[in-house]
Amino acid sequence: MTGKFVLLNTADEFPKHAHAIFYLDQDQRLVFRDQRQFGVMKLIESSRLSQTKGISELAPEPFGEEFTLEYLRSLLKRSHRSLKTLLLDQTKVLGLGNIYAAEALFRARINPFKPANELASRRVPQLYEAIREVLQFAVDNIRGSISLEEGFSYGAAFESFWQVYEREGEPCVKCGSKIRRATHGGRSTYWCPKCQRR
Ligand SMILES: [Zn+2]
């Protein structure tokens, strides 16, 4: 969550909270800093990766072959949870955090509080495309934004492209209505009350 990788050259001193160090070619060191100590590292054989706890429970990845429109449709049909909560569940859809779930729902013009099984079947493709689009956008834009020397800050790199996230009270980029925020399932949710009415 808050951990960072930092690339150090020969003369650089170790930063505070350096918990793991990888020694690279040309005397460089890749350091994992983790002030809050949420990070976990395990050393395991690659052949055992898929059976490893923490990996084996993970859901299909949105760019993988298993993440089909049919997969998403049947997933939504079986859940009474809100769409926002369901999309954050890493055992159902992998890789959407609080920011991307909010952004994907905004792109698809879907209300984040709607129970998953109440989303009309014809609207599922919109959500499916929005999930992939928002992640693809991030992947495309991440390349120029990462500075390993300074440490990569997730928030700072993408703030400029968020359309609803952390934009409470600002005008919606599509309709001009004020973006709203509510705490839902312990996390902040942002949405446009007009574009995402239903
Ligand atoms: Zn709007």
Side-chain angles (χ1 to χ4, degrees):
M1 292 173 81
T2 55
K4 280 183 181 178
F5 280 100
V6 188
L7 190 64
L8 300 181
N9 290 309
T10 325
D12 298 327
E13 298 207 350
F14 282 122
K16 277 186 182 170
H17 313 294
H19 286 290
I21 302 148
F22 298 89
Y23 290 87
L24 310 178
D25 292 345
Q26 279 127 27
D27 288 333
Q28 287 188 309
R29 291 155 298 166
L30 184 66
V31 176
F32 180 59
R33 298 181 61 186
D34 190 13
Q35 186 176 351
R36 297 170 72 186
Q37 299 193 23
F38 286 141
V40 175
M41 274 191 202
K42 288 181 182 177
L43 188 61
I44 46 170
E45 287 171 31
S46 52
S47 59
R48 297 183 54 201
L49 195 60
S50 60
Q51 299 106 52
T52 301
K53 192 168 163 22
I55 302 275
S56 60
E57 306 87 341
L58 295 176
E61 189 274 326
F63 297 124
E65 283 176 12
E66 292 169 59
F67 190 78
T68 60
L69 187 55
E70 249 347 282
Y71 172 81
L72 184 63
R73 195 170 265 138
S74 73
L75 177 71
L76 300 181
K77 215 183 282 175
R78 285 181 278 119
S79 177
H80 300 272
R81 289 193 283 172
S82 75
L83 283 161
K84 175 71 189 314
T85 306
L86 184 67
L87 292 181
L88 289 180
D89 184 342
Q90 302 299 303
T91 68
K92 302 288 186 264
V93 181
L94 186 61
L96 285 178
N98 201 32
I99 299 171
Y100 293 142
E103 294 293 326
L105 287 164
F106 176 73
R107 281 178 185 235
R109 304 175 73 97
I110 293 170
N111 189 283
F113 309 109
K114 192 180 203 47
N117 60 352
E118 289 179 19
L119 185 70
S121 192
R122 64 182 162 74
R123 300 183 75 196
V124 179
Q126 291 162 5
L127 181 59
Y128 179 79
E129 288 306 323
I131 289 169
R132 290 162 54 106
E133 265 175 37
V134 82
L135 290 175
Q136 189 61 56
F137 188 94
V139 170
D140 291 344
N141 286 274
I142 206 169
R143 293 196 183 99
S145 323
I146 291 184
S147 160
L148 279 178
E149 283 77 14
E150 289 164 28
F152 170 58
S153 167
Y154 196 76
F158 293 108
E159 216 165 340
S160 57
F161 104 81
W162 297 339
Q163 296 187 317
V164 281
Y165 189 77
E166 285 190 342
R167 293 200 182 275
E168 182 183 13
E170 292 180 29
C172 167
V173 295
K174 288 179 187 158
C175 76
S177 302
K178 278 190 179 169
I179 298 300
R180 295 180 63 184
R181 182 184 76 88
T183 306
H184 179 66
R187 311 295 299 274
S188 278
T189 291
Y190 298 84
W191 79 105
C192 170
K194 194 170 168 194
C195 296
Q196 296 172 268
R197 208 171 53 240
R198 299 182 299 121

